Amino acid sequence: MSALYRTHLQCVRVRDPTVSEVTGVHNELIAETSGKIVAIFGYREDGRRHAAHLRQVGVRVIFGIREDRDEWSEAMRDGEYVVSPEEAAAQADVIQVW
């Protein structure tokens, strides 16, 4: 998991990247997460979009959201698999925070 974490941080830290830098880091992250479970904490626009992309490349996605948040009911309405943040962390191979 630490390699995935470092890979994601590299992607986040690049302020004005060229397309090839972002694509290379992104492709490496996708390759390492194929067949794994990614827990996304947060269900705003970025989290939904990222989840859709991960699913397209074979990654299983779950959302970790507190039940008292508006995002919980929104994600449930959208048919997402939603559990508490603690349960999502326990199930996931990789955790993504938005």
Side-chain angles (χ1 to χ4, degrees), residues 23-89:
T23 302
V25 171
H26 178 71
N27 288 344
E28 183 179 336
L29 179 61
I30 294 299
E32 291 185 35
T33 57
S34 284
K36 296 193 177 168
I37 299 172
V38 173
I40 298 179
F41 289 8
Y43 193 69
R44 302 280 185 214
E45 183 177 316
D46 289 339
R48 286 191 300 254
R49 190 171 48 242
H50 187 62
H53 180 73
L54 288 172
R55 285 188 187 111
Q56 288 176 346
V57 294
V59 177
R60 182 169 169 230
V61 176
I62 61 176
F63 283 92
I65 306 169
R66 291 192 334 249
E67 280 190 64
D68 63 343
R69 302 289 301 210
D70 293 339
E71 292 90 358
W72 173 279
S73 32
E74 185 179 348
M76 293 295 284
R77 263 193 318 271
D78 291 345
E80 297 291 354
Y81 178 62
V82 184
V83 294
S84 70
E86 295 83 7
E87 182 62 26

